[in-house]
Amino acid sequence: MVRAFRKFIVQGNVIDLAVGIVIGAAFGTVVKSFVDDILMPPVGRVMGGVDFKDLFLSLDGRSFPSLEAAKAAGAATVNYGVFINNVIAFLIVAFAVFLVVQAYDRVRTKEEAVPTPALKDCPFCIQPVALAATRCPHCTSELVPARVLAT
């Protein structure tokens, strides 16, 4: 069992997955910073100086000047401003992943578009043979070329 686990761990796919997770986490941090520190402040300013991080609803009915003050007082809050920031960050990450998948699909379809040589089966040994072949490479039987068959 230990040997099988060691073999599984050193396979390229597991290491690729680990690298992808680390890069994804770092990318998520960068996107969150972009949303919180660059994107939302101008949006908040346009909307009348609103700081989205401070949008909350106190569940006990009391009023607090900021989310930090509510947390310091021990009030239960619904932090919908933080939620809005996180939804925007998620949408940006999801769009970036969408773009990566689209690029991968384009590359993959180009690789699949490479034409494979046309084959026919040898009538004697039923092995695949190139259409233009005059002799089967498997059983060496003489074959009628495809262009003669078409006429």
Side-chain angles (χ1 to χ4, degrees):
M1 182 187 238
V2 172
R3 191 176 314 124
F5 180 71
R6 188 179 313 139
K7 182 181 177 186
F8 172 75
I9 290 298
V10 296
Q11 284 179 342
N13 293 343
V14 173
I15 294 172
D16 291 344
L17 179 63
V19 169
I21 289 171
V22 169
I23 289 175
F27 181 69
T29 303
V30 169
V31 168
K32 179 142 179 59
S33 176
F34 170 73
V35 170
D36 292 344
D37 303 327
I38 295 174
L39 182 66
M40 294 311 283
V43 170
R45 179 149 172 111
V46 167
M47 295 182 75
V50 176
D51 184 2
F52 279 83
K53 287 185 269 187
D54 278 338
L55 296 177
F56 68 98
L57 176 65
S58 177
L59 295 178
D60 62 5
R62 293 187 293 169
S63 178
F64 297 96
S66 69
L67 179 59
E68 289 78 25
K71 286 185 178 185
T77 59
V78 175
N79 307 324
Y80 65 91
V82 174
F83 178 74
I84 291 170
N85 283 354
N86 289 335
V87 167
I88 292 171
F90 168 77
L91 292 174
I92 292 171
V93 170
F95 184 69
V97 169
F98 170 76
L99 292 177
V100 168
V101 169
Q102 290 293 315
Y104 174 74
D105 283 345
R106 269 188 256 119
V107 169
R108 189 180 69 195
T109 54
K110 285 181 184 176
E111 289 174 358
E112 291 174 356
V114 175
T116 57
L119 300 175
K120 64 179 178 183
D121 286 340
C122 170
F124 302 100
C125 68
I126 317 300
Q127 294 294 319
V129 181
L131 276 177
T134 57
R135 200 168 277 282
C136 176
H138 305 284
C139 68
T140 68
S141 297
E142 196 169 332
L143 304 173
V144 179
R147 61 184 173 278
V148 173
L149 290 174
T151 58

